[in-house]
């Protein structure tokens, strides 16, 4: 019987010390919170925000690419038609005609 009473006292003292240590380190019981009290919702919010941002960026990229793809064929067909160089033959320059041009034709 004495051993049972001793073991009860030892367990009681151990529990009391554990409570005192937690109160000293973490504060009173009504002010304490577990570490994982809000982390699930924080992580879910961050993941949801990242998915929303990625969706917005993807939508913007696709609409920009489609707008460029629709504008490119019409712009390239007019660009090739107007970009063809026109070859104009100039009369050959002779030393006499270039000297007259330098003196102002006097």
């Amino acid at each position: 019987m004495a051993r049972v009473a001793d073991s009860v006292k030892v367990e009681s003292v151990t529990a009391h010390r554990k409570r005192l240590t937690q109160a000293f380190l973490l504060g009173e019981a009504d002010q304490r919170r577990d570490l994982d009290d809000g982390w699930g919702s924080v992580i879910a919010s961050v993941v949801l925000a990242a998915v929303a941002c990625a969706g917005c960026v993807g939508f913007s990229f696709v609409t920009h690419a489609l707008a460029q793809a629709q504008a490119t064929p019409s712009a390239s067909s007019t660009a090739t038609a107007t970009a063809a160089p026109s070859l104009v033959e100039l009369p050959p320059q002779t030393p006499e005609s270039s000297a007259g041009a330098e003196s102002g034709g006097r």
Side-chain angles (χ1 to χ4, degrees):
M1 187 68 136
R3 289 187 180 192
V4 175
D6 289 343
S7 65
V8 170
K9 254 187 195 177
V10 170
E11 288 177 13
S12 174
V13 169
T14 304
H16 185 65
R17 284 186 180 175
K18 185 177 179 182
R19 284 190 209 126
L20 284 175
T21 304
Q22 286 179 349
F24 177 72
L25 293 176
L26 304 172
E28 294 183 25
D30 58 342
Q31 295 175 351
R32 274 187 244 148
R33 289 185 177 216
D34 291 336
L35 183 62
D36 59 338
D37 266 359
W39 286 105
S41 58
V42 169
I43 291 173
S45 298
V46 168
V47 168
L48 184 64
V51 168
C53 288
C56 290
V57 169
F59 179 77
S60 176
F61 176 76
V62 169
T63 55
H64 181 70
L66 288 176
Q68 275 188 333
Q70 290 176 354
T72 302
S74 62
S76 65
S77 63
T78 57
T80 55
T82 59
S86 59
L87 299 176
V88 178
E89 292 187 30
L90 298 174
Q93 295 261 338
T94 60
E96 299 160 352
S97 63
S98 63
E102 289 175 6
S103 64
R106 295 185 197 171

